[in-house]
Amino acid sequence: ELKVEQNPLFLSMQEGKNYTIYCNYSTTSDRLYWYRQDPGKSLESLFVLLSNGAVKQEGRLMASLDTKARLSTLHITAAVHDLSATYFCAVDPPYNQGGKLIFGQGTELSVKP
Amino acid sequence: DTGVSQNPRHKITKRGQNVTFRCDPISEHNRLYWYRQTLGQGPEFLTYFQNEAQLEKSRLLSDRFSAERPKGSFSTLEIQRTEQGDSAMYLCASSLRGRMNEKLFFGSGTQLSVL
């Protein structure tokens, strides 16, 4: 059974600092997603990573995928308050016929002035 | 149509009552999914449709839960004889099958509280 684990689960950081969120998964997968969720809101798609070594960047967020290590990272550069949210990674199980994504527990990020 | 629409946004019900939620996906999307999310957890897959066919159901989906997608457009999720453990956010998502970077677009969810 595919398991997805994120760490840390809670992250409090100061504006302007850098940090990385880690997402480990237990079986082979070809596709990994990062989502953002604000309190009481739905999930917003950030990145789709499709192959080993994939790197995508948007603004202060950069995501990468290492399929051999079964690891994805979400790197935050020079954090700002607007990035405060919960971030989820989700993995597409092998031989998946549909959007049965397996989500991690989420990382609740709080950026303080 | 700019996104996935879910109704109602909130539902409070008494234990034992039946509830029904509706989801309208992005119009050109042929896949529709239902997920459930409890506080502090990531969403958990419940079921999905491709067009009008229900292709997979999670073991989380007990006999009290039923989902339909008549005509391959909107979908409904019904919970019969609700229990307090059913309290959660029910999320609907849709996608377009066949795209290499297929990704799910989520609706705002229906928050269910069972008293």
Side-chain angles (χ1 to χ4, degrees):
Chain A
E1 181 184 343
L2 175 60
K3 293 189 187 301
V4 181
E5 291 187 348
Q6 290 181 233
N7 73 83
L9 299 183
F10 298 94
L11 177 55
S12 179
M13 53 190 299
Q14 283 191 310
E15 281 190 330
K17 299 292 187 183
N18 304 334
Y19 210 84
T20 301
I21 299 171
Y22 298 88
C23 173
N24 290 88
Y25 52 98
S26 60
T27 61
T28 303
S29 175
D30 295 330
R31 212 179 302 196
L32 188 138
Y33 302 77
W34 283 96
Y35 284 88
R36 167 183 171 145
Q37 187 175 38
D38 292 292
K41 306 287 187 182
S42 191
L43 286 85
E44 173 191 353
S45 177
L46 296 174
F47 302 108
V48 183
L49 302 170
L50 298 176
S51 61
N52 188 41
V55 177
K56 290 198 174 179
Q57 181 164 6
E58 181 156 342
R60 301 174 188 274
L61 300 178
M62 182 173 72
S64 66
L65 178 61
D66 181 344
T67 57
K68 293 179 181 176
R70 298 175 188 166
L71 170 68
S72 179
T73 61
L74 180 67
H75 187 73
I76 303 155
T77 301
V80 293
H81 179 70
D82 285 352
L83 291 180
S84 297
T86 299
Y87 293 85
F88 292 96
C89 64
V91 175
D92 206 348
Y95 313 115
N96 191 21
Q97 298 297 311
K100 183 184 172 182
L101 299 185
I102 308 299
F103 282 80
Q105 314 97 301
T107 297
E108 186 177 334
L109 172 66
S110 175
V111 181
K112 301 186 185 304
Chain B
D1 185 358
T2 57
V4 178
S5 175
Q6 291 187 246
N7 288 288
R9 291 295 306 276
H10 303 276
K11 179 71 177 178
I12 300 173
T13 191
K14 292 183 179 178
R15 190 176 53 186
Q17 298 294 304
N18 299 345
V19 294
T20 300
F21 312 140
R22 177 178 169 125
C23 171
D24 288 88
I26 294 173
S27 57
E28 64 268 28
H29 285 184
N30 53 6
R31 286 194 165 182
L32 185 148
Y33 312 83
W34 286 98
Y35 282 78
R36 180 171 69 187
Q37 185 178 25
T38 52
L39 197 62
Q41 300 296 316
E44 295 174 296
F45 171 81
L46 292 178
T47 188
Y48 90 97
F49 294 82
Q50 180 156 311
N51 300 314
E52 66 274 11
Q54 187 174 17
L55 296 187
E56 187 171 351
K57 293 194 293 186
S58 163
R59 280 170 283 181
L60 291 175
L61 215 62
S62 77
D63 291 344
R64 297 183 296 105
F65 288 69
S66 63
E68 295 182 340
R69 193 184 182 197
K71 303 179 183 178
S73 55
F74 71 92
S75 175
T76 57
L77 177 68
E78 180 182 17
I79 309 173
Q80 296 182 326
R81 305 180 303 282
T82 52
E83 301 173 356
Q84 288 185 326
D86 297 331
S87 296
M89 174 77 85
Y90 290 83
L91 293 166
C92 176
S94 69
S95 71
L96 184 60
R97 171 66 174 158
R99 293 185 60 178
M100 182 59 186
N101 60 342
E102 178 181 355
K103 63 181 181 181
L104 274 60
F105 293 81
F106 283 84
S108 299
T110 294
Q111 181 67 54
L112 173 65
S113 297
V114 181
L115 305 179

